Amino acid sequence: MREDSPPRREAGGHPAHFDPELAARELVRGAKPGDVHVRVARPGLREFRRVAPRRLVATRRAMQPRGRVGRVLGALKQALIGEPLATERLVHERLTKVKALAVLSSDALSSSAYATEEILRVLVLAGAAALSLTLPIAFAIALLLVIVATSYRQTIKAYPQGGGSYIVTKDNLGTWPSLVAGSALLIDYVLTVAVSISAGVAAITSALPELGPYAVELAVAFIVLITLVNLRGVRESGTIFALPTYLFIGMAFLMVGLGLARLATEGPADLSAAAGHLPVQEPLTLFLVLRAFASGNAALTGTEAISDGVPAFQPPEWKNARITLTWMAGILGVLFLGISVLALQFAVLPSEQETVVSQLGRLAFGGDSVPYYVFQAATMLILVLAANTSFSDFPRLSYFLARDHFLPYQFQFRGDRLAFSTGILALGLLSGLLVVAFRADTHALIPLYAVGVFVSFTLSQASMVVRWWRRREPGWQHGLPINAVGAVTTGLVAIIIAATKFEHGAWMVIVLLPILVLMLRGINAYYVGVADQLILEPTSKPRLPSPPIVVVPVQGLDRAVARTLAFARSLSERVVAVHVTDDAAAGEALRARWESWSGDVPLVILESPYRALVPPLLAYLDALQQQDPQAPITVVLSEVVPRHFWEYLLQGQVALRLKAALFFRPNTVVVDMPYHLGE
Amino acid sequence: MREDSPPRREAGGHPAHFDPELAARELVRGAKPGDVHVRVARPGLREFRRVAPRRLVATRRAMQPRGRVGRVLGALKQALIGEPLATERLVHERLTKVKALAVLSSDALSSSAYATEEILRVLVLAGAAALSLTLPIAFAIALLLVIVATSYRQTIKAYPQGGGSYIVTKDNLGTWPSLVAGSALLIDYVLTVAVSISAGVAAITSALPELGPYAVELAVAFIVLITLVNLRGVRESGTIFALPTYLFIGMAFLMVGLGLARLATEGPADLSAAAGHLPVQEPLTLFLVLRAFASGNAALTGTEAISDGVPAFQPPEWKNARITLTWMAGILGVLFLGISVLALQFAVLPSEQETVVSQLGRLAFGGDSVPYYVFQAATMLILVLAANTSFSDFPRLSYFLARDHFLPYQFQFRGDRLAFSTGILALGLLSGLLVVAFRADTHALIPLYAVGVFVSFTLSQASMVVRWWRRREPGWQHGLPINAVGAVTTGLVAIIIAATKFEHGAWMVIVLLPILVLMLRGINAYYVGVADQLILEPTSKPRLPSPPIVVVPVQGLDRAVARTLAFARSLSERVVAVHVTDDAAAGEALRARWESWSGDVPLVILESPYRALVPPLLAYLDALQQQDPQAPITVVLSEVVPRHFWEYLLQGQVALRLKAALFFRPNTVVVDMPYHLGE
């Protein structure tokens, strides 16, 4: 306490002043600055604005971190994620269709970078001849894309406020199905990050094979970077996203165009020559074909993004969103089919060292040409953007789930930069673990992927069917069949994916999904139970059933203890100091000092023949409690706080151990009186 | 609270009874068992015995661990280290000379298992011819042993209460030298464990080479085992120690005898034939010879153990101790010289796979014979016992240092089994780390060893010189020169060891020693400073300078908050509830509920535009504090405690974060009111 700020109280008497509203500054507004009384009388003037009676607004000044450690950590955090932003700066950018396509399609469009390859990888198991099935499968997937997009056009109109699968399902099918949809999406967002980053790293290592051994490190570095960027709360700024997305679209179309031109002039490569030496590892069964189809459906992931993001469009939102969705589906369909045709005609085979799309790029642009490297860079960037999309979607879905009490409420809070920090960190951590566990291998992750997406597609479309039927709004005769076809088709595909990829990894998702659903339900049950127990009748007057029994454990008699005893005496008439010791002589010596000293709190010596401190004290509290079962047992702890952190090790953790033990004792209040050394 | 234990208080009024002495049971001794009032009126009867007014002794029953986790941990601890023992069961066994030799000599005698080899390892660097210097060096070390033993005979008589180097030095040379001696010993006790265990493992892997790759794991397992055994508090029971020690002495003498017999019949082996192919890596300089001498001095470590342990002897303690010391020095000298002579005559060379003593054992007993394996087992056992000796010495020295406030006071406490648990755990941890860092390699550890021992020898003997000179007690003309020769000789050897082994590892000890001394001094300065600050004038009446200002942070209005407010109101007239929020509308909704409710505590809404909770609250406390700088700011926290540990994750750690932040705020009292769910 500084000498130059004297306490404002009457001589010898009680303090005159207690103003919880910090309103006193009004009274002295005319005083000269520098006057001591002005400083004392204007508490909190710079830290708070008083906007109404008993209502204060903290200023930026109130946010200063304290202590050396706090300041260092604060500076570090600010360097990493930037200055805190006030809530009022939360703005929602409205996107033109051109920007919206860039922001919301990166996940879907980027799938074209790996979807064809995943089909080839399955078919090639049955030998070169089986590869000719690539095109029929690709067309089937393209047809599915049309069905899903048409279905979602209905959702967009029905949910202009944003029709994520969780919300739509909750609205129409109820809690359990919505939790299935939510869990499926949570899983798939994590997988989107892992798959997209792994594929993005594969685009780099295809162009620069010498980076191959560092794939996992690169992938983790990307995830850390994206996590930090999202904690900084970079808005879904269309401008930042537009460049890589349109660069990728442009380069990919160029590649397909150049490839087709070369095909027209040179004719197709001889597939059986290129692939003839491949061993037949599995017979060409319907199951294998379905598995290839299931793997290719990774192309459809991300299609739902536009219907989630309708409110971000400029008005008329739903119309613009619909147009954008159609465009996106068209671009994705053309790219995916084009790449599939080229891969087959040029007899490009999957390899461990280079992606199929990179091989096509070399063929179209020339092996070491600048356009090839630009194309690879664009592919990498759009894949990173796709991962980044999950960093908006996952935290937003976690927010909805937390708001509905299905996830810990920390997921509701916005961090310093207005982003949902908990969700962002959780996603970064989970996807990072996944990338490390799967060694950043896209092909190993793909079997886990898309199950969740198709489960949520199915539930979302089925919800729309129920909605049409219940409401029978204009156009329902047209909309219901569309969504019904969508629901049945995506449902079938979900089953195909789960069945054909089951043993290759989909089982993990199928096992995890119900566990996650039950976890969400369990969390909800806990929160509901707590709220029930804590409900307060509006008439119940707060009153202590019985004045507290106050116990002060003392290790000796010093200033800190004396101050603690004074505080304890102010709490209650029923105060006792307790000294637990294994040394009877030392105990009696303390009693002698105690009695020669002028305190008025009785001292009880508890001898502990087993030398333990906590158990005898707890047993003693129990014995006191039996004398008055209603009285809160109040334990006042005197704790010496050293000035330096390392000194804390020398101070013994008696108070800490007591606090930990007393925390779980019912009807117990712990009062902690730190005595700051050098105070 | 159980329904069947009604509160003992007058109808409607204040509780009648508060008996901190738990004396009430006297009043109802005649009541029938089972009567509710008896149960209530006999609080603590089974948990405490009342031995005097305000003096209670906890029974074994008061020691029961609480809660599921506590019970599981308690059972686990008991399984590992056994039932707690009462302090009164602390007994000091008195040892006959035969048992004392076993208990106190294992460290010294076991050195013969590796000391010769360490000489050979250095000499062999200069080629086969240099090995002939083994014997002169061994005789020099044996002479040194005689000098040290004679010196310590003086100490034993002067310090019949136990003359450890730290105590003797502190007594005669003062604090700084005693800290040097203490630090040197602490280091060397850790090294004794590491070296002895590594050598013990080498005895095993010499006999069973297939265990070679697991040397580090074996060594760590031994250290864990010894740590647990010592935490169990096995007394230095002569009987347990006698078997392996005398087995080793017997087998070692037998080996030397058989070896000498074979030598007499067969004549010496041809050293130049065996070692002729060895490359000369270093020239044979005086420095190398001194280094070999320095390495061999590992044989003398442990010689001081008997003078530390004089009080453990049967009376007349000092006489018995002296006789035992002479015996020990004699046995060690004969074994060491015998092994050195045999190694040289049989041309046994150090090898990476097998120890020299094991090779001699094979020569004497026959390669795969039962006696050879018994000998190896005995060697391993006495080396483990030597390590075990440090587990008595290190905790005892730590206790002395902690008692004198040079080490954290936790080192003073006896654990459940009356052992100095902190010292035992510290030694186990440090030696375990050392063994892992040095891959359980005796030869890598030896250069670090013995510096500390000889520093403490020197200081101890120098202290005796000062003592003789100051007191001039009868016999000083005889004793002073003996100790002076001892001090000078051991001092010279300390310098030789430090210089010759400096670059091979001794530098680490030489760097560590002053750091450790300064650390002990720093710890002492801290404790002295704290005691000064906390000193209490016997007349100062405990009184609060100003009644507390009470602040109750609230997140909402529920039962837990209502109870907390009631408690807060009982503390002070100056109470305010504070709601920090980033949502002005939610804040006003809370105020509306607050005002329709019947509480009498004002609510202040603190809007936090940056969404942070802690900084605005701290700034608010500062503003309140300025209104009355003397008043303790008392923050009453309402905290919901779930029934299961995992549920705690769902509860949010608001209270925990506040407690952490408030702990470092001066003049602040934190009151923690847990609300136990299902209470």
Side-chain angles (χ1 to χ4, degrees), chain A residues 84 102 151 158 172 190 206 217 238 248 279 285 328 366 380 469 514 552 581 673:
Chain A
S151 263
N172 298 293
V190 176
S206 292
E217 288 83 352
F248 174 77
T285 56
M328 185 203 77
M380 184 270 283
W469 184 249
V552 187
T581 183
M673 275 200 90

Side-chain angles (χ1 to χ4, degrees), chain A residues 389-443:
Chain A
T389 311
S390 283
F391 276 86
S392 321
D393 293 339
F394 183 97
R396 184 173 50 205
L397 177 57
S398 318
Y399 163 78
F400 287 133
L401 285 167
R403 192 196 55 187
D404 298 343
H405 310 301
F406 289 108
L407 275 182
Y409 58 68
Q410 288 89 332
F411 284 94
Q412 283 182 68
F413 301 149
R414 290 183 187 272
D416 275 0
R417 303 286 290 184
L418 295 166
F420 295 116
S421 314
T422 311
I424 292 170
L425 287 170
L427 178 61
L429 194 69
L430 292 173
S431 58
L433 289 175
L434 207 58
V435 157
V436 171
F438 283 81
R439 312 293 311 146
D441 181 354
T442 317
H443 320 302

Side-chain angles (χ1 to χ4, degrees), chain A residues 614-625:
Chain A
V614 174
L617 188 66
L618 288 179
Y620 181 73
L621 297 183
D622 287 350
L624 290 184
Q625 182 81 79

Side-chain angles (χ1 to χ4, degrees), chain A residues 19-20 55-56 58 66 87 409 415 526-527 533 559 571 607 609 611 620 622 627 650-651 670 672 678, chain B residues 19-20 54-56 66 87 409 415 526-527 533-534 559 571 607 609 611 620 622 627 650-651 670 672 678:
Chain A
D19 166 30
R55 195 164 146 202
L56 306 167
R66 306 185 167 221
T87 310
Y409 58 68
Y526 173 76
Y527 281 131
Q533 283 193 51
R559 274 190 206 202
L571 296 184
E607 279 182 49
R611 299 164 305 284
Y620 181 73
D622 287 350
Q627 299 180 8
L650 303 177
Q651 208 40 69
V670 175
D672 199 14
Chain B
D19 166 30
R54 297 189 180 175
R55 195 163 146 204
L56 306 167
R66 307 187 166 220
T87 309
Y409 58 69
Y526 172 76
Y527 282 130
Q533 284 194 52
L534 290 181
R559 274 189 205 200
L571 295 184
E607 278 182 50
R611 298 165 305 285
Y620 181 72
D622 287 350
Q627 298 180 8
L650 303 177
Q651 208 41 68
V670 175
D672 199 14

Side-chain angles (χ1 to χ4, degrees), chain B residues 654-669:
Chain B
V654 172
L656 196 67
R657 276 159 57 209
L658 283 177
K659 276 187 271 186
L662 294 169
F663 186 70
F664 295 101
R665 194 179 182 281
N667 202 19
T668 308
V669 181

Side-chain angles (χ1 to χ4, degrees), chain A residues 547-572:
Chain A
I549 294 176
V550 179
V551 178
V552 187
V554 297
Q555 288 181 278
L557 183 52
D558 58 30
R559 274 190 206 202
V561 169
R563 210 185 53 155
T564 306
L565 291 171
F567 189 85
R569 281 292 288 114
S570 80
L571 296 184
S572 175

Side-chain angles (χ1 to χ4, degrees), chain A residues 630-646:
Chain A
Q630 300 289 305
I633 296 281
T634 302
V635 181
V636 186
L637 300 174
S638 169
E639 187 165 10
V640 169
V641 181
R643 268 193 291 186
H644 304 105
F645 185 73
W646 63 268

